[in-house]
Amino acid sequence: MRKFNATPDGVTAAARSQNGRGIPSSHQIASFRKVSAGILASAHLAAQDARPEVSKKDISLVLKRVAPALGIDGTAYHVLDILLGLVQSDDFKAGRRSVVAISNLRLAEYTRRTARTVTRCLKKLVEAGILAYRDSPTGRRYVYRGRGGQAEQAYGLDFTPACFNLEAFKAQADAFQHRLKAEQEARRAVTRFSRAIRDLAETDPASFHGYVALAEDVFDRSELTVSDRADWLQALYEEALRLLETKESESNQEDMSCAGDIDVSPLFITTHPDPLKSNNKRTCSSEQDIKFTRDNGSAVELALEKEPCGGHSDYQPPKPQAARHGGGKRTETNLDGVSIGLIQSACSQVQTETGHSFTTWSDLCRAADQLRILIGLSPSGYQNAVERQGQYLAAACLVIVAEKALRDPEQITSPGGYFRAMIDRAGEGKLHLHKSLHGLV
């Protein structure tokens, strides 16, 4: 038969060496336990008289939030949940002892595990600073309550350490959630930038194939974290964009013509105004020197017309355009029939991919930079569209192109060119976004 000492010499000496004082006789640790620094720290907290007064609800919520950060999962989490259900709410009040008296065998029956497994789980909870052992001289766990319901004698598993560590657990849980969110954002960034680099390589393999090789090398480096990979890929993508803008600038100096759709004849636009058009038209920017492919005629409504590119600068919401050629009939604006609710319903895949929810126009505009990267559009290309057609229309075109590219990447081989074609059509007053959105819905 095992013998239990009220204050084992080894435990008392170890406790004094850690905190400069012994564990009072009111809180005892059985001699059969193999103590550790964590067990002694919890025992020291449980022996304090000035225990913070907390509620069972707060303790339960915080412990369940911090459990993943402490590595408490599986059976250990199951045991913790059972103990939280058994402890009484009034026992967390001042002057009372929050002790649960349940045997390891009973916990083993509840969890469908062995008693040895339950013992290891309890030790893990004690070393984490959630529980403390409060052993009786015989090793049994029991609670004797008086007439008022207050525990006169209580031996078992004590939640007092969790009351002292409550604020520290809150901060640890918040930090853990923040780290999880940062890692999730980094994984999304890795997906966006790697896809954008591949799209650039498909557009111009000779110039950007090396960037794909560098991106693959980033994935092969196992010592990099997810955040490190996101930073490397973002740097690669920004460098590739600078190269693209340099090539566009050089191409624009050599040839000032706008690039038309492959299925139509090339257009040669000079800087002289067309006498048939009004003088407030201007030529296309150098951003439109990138060619794009229209696959099977499904994007006819977005194809470039054989007219000079241009459009006036208009800020959201777009104003109605005057009738062309002096006619009295009013043409519809580019955002007629378009609401943010329609965009939210039509572009579900984009919202899933980016993690944004387009509940307001402001939400859509804030996601524009991420959508621009998703379709491989340069910052100057998007800024040009905003200056020509306003922020709302540019963002709406951007999200439509991104949604179509995600649903069928083979349908739109050059999303950036597709976007610029939509902006050109908007400048002519021939863009019907509501039809495209209803088609996506």
Side-chain angles (χ1 to χ4, degrees):
M1 181 176 180
R2 287 195 181 96
K3 295 182 179 180
F4 301 94
N5 298 325
T7 54
D9 294 338
V11 173
T12 305
R16 284 174 178 163
S17 64
Q18 293 241 345
N19 47 52
R21 56 176 292 182
I23 299 175
S25 58
S26 61
H27 187 82
Q28 303 163 349
I29 298 180
S31 60
F32 67 85
R33 298 195 186 282
K34 185 177 180 180
V35 297
S36 63
I39 293 177
L40 289 175
S42 296
H44 174 64
L45 291 176
Q48 303 297 316
D49 294 330
R51 177 176 65 83
E53 184 176 355
V54 298
S55 66
K56 178 182 176 180
K57 178 181 178 181
D58 291 341
I59 284 285
S60 300
L61 292 176
V62 172
L63 291 182
K64 291 184 178 182
R65 285 185 61 228
V66 80
L70 298 175
I72 297 172
D73 53 8
T75 305
Y77 186 87
H78 193 181
V79 170
L80 174 62
D81 192 46
I82 293 173
L83 297 178
L84 287 172
L86 293 176
V87 67
Q88 296 188 12
S89 301
D90 292 339
D91 289 342
F92 287 99
K93 296 180 179 179
R96 297 202 176 189
R97 180 68 63 176
S98 53
V99 176
V100 179
I102 184 173
S103 66
N104 290 0
L105 291 177
R106 183 60 59 87
L107 286 173
E109 293 176 1
Y110 288 161
T111 59
R112 299 295 182 91
R113 297 292 186 269
T114 63
R116 187 179 295 273
T117 299
V118 170
T119 301
R120 288 196 298 267
C121 293
L122 290 175
K123 182 180 179 181
K124 191 173 185 179
L125 295 174
V126 172
E127 291 179 338
I130 297 176
L131 300 174
Y133 293 117
R134 186 175 180 82
D135 297 323
S136 66
T138 61
R140 292 178 56 248
R141 298 172 183 166
Y142 58 89
V143 176
Y144 290 158
R145 299 186 180 274
R147 293 183 177 179
Q150 185 174 358
E152 296 179 352
Q153 296 184 37
Y155 297 97
L157 301 167
D158 193 351
F159 275 99
T160 299
C163 299
F164 283 98
N165 293 327
L166 185 62
E167 295 301 323
F169 284 158
K170 286 181 180 179
Q172 193 170 357
D174 292 339
F176 180 75
Q177 293 296 328
H178 179 73
R179 187 173 72 252
L180 285 183
K181 185 176 181 180
E183 291 178 354
Q184 185 180 26
E185 291 296 330
R187 284 192 292 269
R188 289 173 177 170
V190 166
T191 302
R192 291 198 310 272
F193 290 123
S194 58
R195 178 177 296 169
I197 291 173
R198 287 197 304 269
D199 290 342
L200 287 175
E202 291 177 0
T203 304
D204 189 352
S207 300
F208 299 105
H209 179 72
Y211 289 94
V212 176
L214 290 175
E216 292 176 352
D217 181 65
V218 171
F219 283 100
D220 292 338
R221 296 172 60 181
S222 58
E223 74 276 8
L224 295 179
T225 63
V226 178
S227 299
D228 294 336
R229 286 194 176 95
D231 293 339
W232 275 93
L233 290 173
Q234 182 177 3
L236 283 176
Y237 177 67
E238 291 175 353
E239 183 179 347
L241 278 184
R242 286 193 292 269
L243 175 60
L244 177 62
E245 291 177 355
T246 301
K247 291 173 65 66
E248 290 178 357
S249 178
E250 293 175 353
S251 176
N252 185 49
Q253 293 176 1
E254 295 175 359
D255 184 5
M256 296 299 294
S257 63
C258 291
D261 196 288
I262 282 181
D263 291 343
V264 299
S265 302
L267 304 178
F268 297 92
I269 308 300
T270 66
T271 57
H272 298 288
D274 191 330
L276 298 179
K277 304 296 179 181
S278 59
N279 291 331
N280 61 352
K281 299 293 181 180
R282 59 183 175 88
T283 59
C284 290
S285 66
S286 59
E287 196 54 42
Q288 301 196 12
D289 289 337
I290 300 178
K291 297 184 178 181
F292 64 94
T293 304
R294 189 185 63 189
D295 295 324
N296 55 7
S298 61
V300 172
E301 66 174 0
L302 299 180
L304 292 172
E305 298 291 338
K306 295 184 179 180
E307 296 181 12
C309 302
H312 60 281
S313 178
D314 195 9
Y315 291 95
Q316 63 276 6
K319 298 178 181 179
Q321 299 178 359
R324 299 172 64 93
H325 303 295
K329 185 178 180 181
R330 174 192 173 275
T331 60
E332 65 174 352
T333 65
N334 294 312
L335 284 178
D336 277 352
V338 177
S339 64
I340 190 62
L342 179 59
I343 293 178
Q344 185 180 26
S345 301
C347 303
S348 57
Q349 194 161 344
V350 169
Q351 295 175 82
T352 302
E353 179 70 22
T354 61
H356 289 281
S357 179
F358 305 142
T359 55
T360 64
W361 283 100
S362 298
D363 294 337
L364 179 60
C365 293
R366 280 194 295 268
D369 190 59
Q370 189 173 352
L371 297 174
R372 176 187 61 76
I373 295 174
L374 189 63
I375 69 171
L377 182 68
S378 64
S380 59
Y382 181 68
Q383 184 61 31
N384 179 33
V386 172
E387 292 175 357
R388 295 173 60 188
Q389 297 301 330
Q391 188 177 6
Y392 286 0
L393 181 62
C397 293
L398 201 61
V399 72
I400 290 174
V401 175
E403 180 73 18
K404 289 186 176 182
L406 286 175
R407 292 192 185 186
D408 190 1
E410 296 181 357
Q411 180 185 4
I412 304 177
T413 57
S414 179
Y418 201 92
F419 171 80
R420 284 185 289 272
M422 294 178 71
I423 298 301
D424 287 337
R425 295 284 290 176
E428 300 165 0
K430 297 180 180 179
L431 183 65
H432 309 292
L433 287 184
H434 64 284
K435 295 183 179 178
S436 298
L437 288 170
H438 283 296
L440 291 173
V441 173

